[in-house]
Amino acid sequence: MIAFVFPGQGSQKVGMGVDLAAASSIARETFEEVDEALSQKLSALMAEGPEDELTMTANAQPAIMANGLAIARVLEAGGVSLSAKGEAVAGHSLGEYSALAAVGAFSLADTARLLRIRGDAMQAAVPVGVGGMCALLGADIEKATALAEAAAQGDVCEVANDNDPGQVVLSGHLTAIDRAVELAKEYGCKRAIKLPVSAPFHCSLMGPAAEKMAEALAATPPQAFRLPLYANVTAAPVTDASAELDLLVQQITGRVRWRESVGAMADAGIEHFVELGGKVLGPMIKKIAPDARVTSVVGMDDIEALAKDI
């Protein structure tokens, strides 16, 4: 049993999609369709940079989605139907939109536009310098939660991403994040690293962004999708499009429950996780479900090998 999974922000890099576009007209058409939807040459930014511009939230989110969907489309054209070969899909944060697009809930153009709105709204929700995030290494969810509560001291400090048994990310006011980094070892964490992000994602400070996404999704709601999706905020499968609309709004301020999502998929019988568009989720998945098989697909060689394998 196979699940197709899609990475989130941080998996972008200059040069992404270049080799695939050179090898496949379907990939080139996918990138052109995203360019047209955004009225921007995003594909050129993906290919050539500059890196600081590609890393901007409003660019990184649709770029990562475009890369994952290009790979999915090339796979489909080569006879690997995600809905026929897979049992479920999932995505980390913005990757949930990629997963939904891959199984028909959104068109490619609508997904690109929604992610541009999402990126802009998340960036605008909190002034630069007010919020921050940090990764806790060697910390489980219990240690991370206790640390967040201790560091808050009247500010917002919350668990944003429960990524795997040894990696949890906190988000909130920068003052609280700084305190969390200082207190990390006292709470049993091996290491705390401030993340180079421009906004405190997946915490209650993102409330204004959630309101904007509620409006955007009401205007472009998800349609029926061909495979169950394991939603970030519930770590449970969802098949109802109207329920998923609400979950996508909740996701803006809610915790990305990736460890629990992978565990739930493994418990449901998923044995093979195929990451489309990155090599970020694979290491997390192996820590959560050591017996699972993980395949990362980023280029044409990977696509051809997977097509032969499944």
Side-chain angles (χ1 to χ4, degrees):
M1 293 174 67
I2 298 171
F4 293 96
V5 297
F6 294 82
Q9 200 160 336
S11 60
Q12 74 280 351
K13 63 178 181 177
V14 174
M16 63 194 298
V18 170
D19 292 344
L20 187 63
S24 168
S25 61
I26 291 167
R28 289 195 298 275
E29 289 164 6
T30 301
F31 296 139
E32 288 166 3
E33 193 174 335
V34 171
D35 287 350
E36 185 175 345
L38 298 178
S39 300
Q40 175 195 9
K41 198 71 174 172
L42 184 65
S43 58
L45 183 60
M46 293 164 63
E48 302 163 11
E51 185 175 0
D52 59 346
E53 195 173 334
L54 177 61
T55 303
M56 290 172 59
T57 302
N59 291 325
Q61 295 198 15
I64 293 164
M65 180 279 299
N67 193 49
L69 265 291
I71 291 168
R73 285 184 167 189
V74 174
L75 274 170
E76 296 264 2
V80 179
S81 165
L82 271 62
S83 57
K85 298 289 187 180
E87 296 293 330
V89 293
H92 191 282
S93 190
L94 79 92
E96 189 162 320
Y97 287 79
S98 306
L100 287 164
V103 294
F106 296 118
S107 70
L108 180 66
D110 283 342
T111 310
R113 286 188 284 264
L114 285 167
L115 286 174
R116 171 56 53 80
I117 294 167
R118 184 178 185 269
D120 284 338
M122 292 172 87
Q123 185 62 65
V126 179
V128 173
V130 172
M133 301 179 77
C134 68
L136 307 177
L137 306 182
D140 58 23
I141 190 65
E142 288 78 16
K143 291 176 183 176
T145 301
L147 173 58
E149 290 172 355
Q153 297 181 22
D155 291 332
V156 170
C157 189
E158 298 166 2
V159 172
N161 301 353
D162 180 9
N163 284 334
D164 66 42
Q167 185 193 119
V168 180
V169 175
L170 303 185
S171 182
H173 285 110
L174 187 57
T175 48
I177 295 301
D178 286 338
R179 284 192 292 268
V181 171
E182 292 174 8
L183 293 169
K185 289 196 174 178
E186 291 182 32
Y187 282 79
C189 307
K190 288 182 182 175
R191 193 176 174 200
I193 305 169
K194 283 178 70 174
L195 299 179
V197 296
S198 54
F201 305 131
H202 297 293
C203 76
S204 54
L205 294 176
M206 288 284 109
E211 292 176 10
K212 286 195 171 80
M213 282 312 295
E215 294 173 6
L217 286 161
T220 311
Q223 304 301 303
F225 32 103
R226 295 186 291 271
L227 285 177
L229 170 105
Y230 278 74
N232 284 182
V233 296
T234 61
V238 57
T239 56
D240 180 74
S242 60
E244 177 59 16
L245 188 157
D246 292 334
L247 294 174
L248 287 173
V249 175
Q250 293 176 40
Q251 190 215 62
I252 299 291
T253 56
R255 180 183 304 178
V256 175
R257 295 168 62 183
W258 187 250
R259 175 183 59 84
E260 294 173 81
S261 296
V262 172
M265 285 186 272
D267 289 345
I270 299 297
E271 302 163 308
H272 188 185
F273 292 83
V274 178
E275 180 179 1
L276 301 183
K279 297 183 178 181
V280 177
L281 301 178
M284 295 181 195
I285 292 168
K286 288 300 289 183
K287 290 177 183 176
I288 301 162
D291 295 332
R293 184 179 170 200
V294 176
T295 302
S296 295
V297 183
V298 295
M300 188 58 79
D301 290 346
D302 300 327
I303 290 171
E304 291 172 352
L306 182 66
K308 290 176 184 174
D309 187 38
I310 63 173

